[in-house]
Amino acid sequence: MKKFEILEHKADIKIKVIGSSLEELFKNAVWAMAQILSAEAAKSEFKIQNLKFKIKVKSADREILLVDFLNDILGESQINQAIYPEVRFLDFQPEGVQGMAYLKAEISGYPIERFDEDVKAVTYHDLNIHQKEGGIWEATILFDV
């Protein structure tokens, strides 16, 4: 199964991410963002994952959780001139616990020489997460460039 595809958009980068579960959908969204930032992400299995950080995100719902999660990783990417294609979830509650969607994860990546795209932010515009027939999850995500 394909992890993501780039959709047509006039000014920004719009993608559709696919996963067999919400957890896999979030992981594939991180991987897709890393690929947008640098084509080197496709070769990540050959790189030593030498940059790691832990992240905690709480949000009102799973859609906001995904955008906040990706924006936090994007911020680390920009600060460290690095891409982070790998995620290991330590706690994953996208449907919410006590009214809040929540995740805790360890993110792994490596430094790069330059970014292929100047992604400014992951946006809420046209954001959509839904489950299709057969149980496959899809998300539409827009990156402001």
Side-chain angles (χ1 to χ4, degrees):
M1 176 171 51
K2 202 163 149 180
K3 293 181 182 184
F4 80 100
E5 67 179 282
I6 297 178
L7 305 173
E8 194 172 315
H9 193 274
K10 290 180 183 177
D12 294 317
I13 297 173
K14 187 176 186 178
I15 64 170
K16 177 171 65 173
V17 180
I18 301 163
S20 60
S21 66
L22 276 173
E23 185 172 323
E24 183 177 75
L25 180 84
F26 275 56
K27 286 181 178 183
N28 289 346
V30 170
W31 190 81
M33 184 172 70
Q35 276 218 303
I36 289 166
L37 290 171
S38 174
E40 287 183 39
K43 303 172 191 167
S44 65
E45 64 271 10
F46 303 111
K47 297 268 187 185
I48 295 172
Q49 306 291 311
N50 58 3
L51 294 177
K52 292 185 184 217
F53 68 96
K54 288 187 180 172
I55 186 172
K56 291 181 194 177
V57 182
K58 284 185 182 179
S59 300
D61 60 34
R62 66 180 176 219
E63 285 81 5
I64 296 171
L65 183 69
L66 178 60
V67 171
D68 292 348
F69 179 53
L70 292 173
N71 274 319
D72 284 356
I73 295 169
L74 178 61
E76 287 291 324
S77 292
Q78 293 168 340
I79 289 167
N80 296 316
Q81 183 83 28
I83 56 172
Y84 296 95
E86 301 293 326
V87 178
R88 184 171 66 90
F89 286 108
L90 307 171
D91 192 1
F92 187 73
Q93 304 293 328
E95 299 301 335
V97 174
Q98 298 178 351
M100 294 296 285
Y102 173 82
L103 66 78
K104 182 178 179 183
E106 183 177 79
I107 313 300
S108 301
Y110 51 89
I112 58 172
E113 286 189 32
R114 66 174 187 81
F115 292 111
D116 295 336
E117 286 289 344
D118 181 21
V119 176
K120 296 176 188 129
V122 183
T123 73
Y124 299 102
H125 183 73
D126 284 341
L127 179 65
N128 181 12
I129 298 176
H130 63 277
Q131 191 172 25
K132 294 179 66 167
E133 269 187 46
I136 300 296
W137 287 90
E138 284 187 357
T140 303
I141 306 167
L142 187 70
F143 296 91
D144 181 18
V145 294

